[in-house]
Amino acid sequence: VSVLQEIIDGVREDLEPRRRALPEVRLSELVAFGRWPLMTVSTLVCGVSYAVIALPLPLWAMHMAIAMMGFSFGLATTLSITIVVDMTSVSARGTTNSLRIMSNRIGQFVMPFGAGLIAAAASVGGLFIALAAAIVAASAAMLFKRPQT
């Protein structure tokens, strides 16, 4: 057990200078802006990431854009669930969340048809630009219409 503890202490000492070099960002600092602004910004970042995918970039840049898109879209999705739960009464949360999920499923069914039409007319790059424009437009709409909680 003491040998294992010595190894763990050695690894901690090796990692300490690297840990201090990284900036510390706490989730509480991000949420301090509020859930709605954070969701708006993450949706905007997701839209910009979609547009970047349409550009002829090196593979590593595409990977960075896809990682940023996945993180920001995941954050926006999680925040949308939280906002819906906060906006509704306890007795209506199930119904409200069901409506949110139903609209997602309808979009997941309808969007491939629209995407196929856009890709046939404007190529795959045009498809990513169109999706980016739709996401950025949704983010811009979120700037002007904030729900009353």
Side-chain angles (χ1 to χ4, degrees), residues 103-123:
S103 65
N104 277 345
R105 298 301 180 257
I106 290 171
Q108 289 172 349
F109 178 77
V110 172
M111 284 299 289
F113 295 113
L117 291 173
I118 293 170
S123 78

Side-chain angles (χ1 to χ4, degrees), residues 9 18 35 73 91 98 109 115-116 127 131:
D9 291 340
R18 293 182 193 144
R35 291 182 180 131
F73 193 64
S91 62
S98 297
F109 178 77
L127 173 63
L131 288 173

Side-chain angles (χ1 to χ4, degrees), residues 42-127:
S42 65
T43 306
L44 180 64
V45 169
C46 182
V48 171
S49 299
Y50 258 105
V52 167
I53 292 174
L55 301 174
L57 296 173
L59 189 59
W60 66 266
M62 294 284 226
H63 287 179
M64 294 297 293
I66 290 171
M68 187 61 106
M69 179 178 51
F71 176 77
S72 61
F73 193 64
L75 183 62
T77 302
T78 306
L79 286 168
S80 75
I81 294 167
T82 306
I83 290 169
V84 165
V85 167
D86 284 347
M87 286 175 44
T88 58
S89 65
V90 175
S91 62
R93 285 183 182 165
T95 304
T96 307
N97 206 20
S98 297
L99 288 171
R100 188 193 68 78
I101 291 170
M102 183 186 69
S103 65
N104 277 345
R105 298 301 180 257
I106 290 171
Q108 289 172 349
F109 178 77
V110 172
M111 284 299 289
F113 295 113
L117 291 173
I118 293 170
S123 78
V124 176
L127 173 63

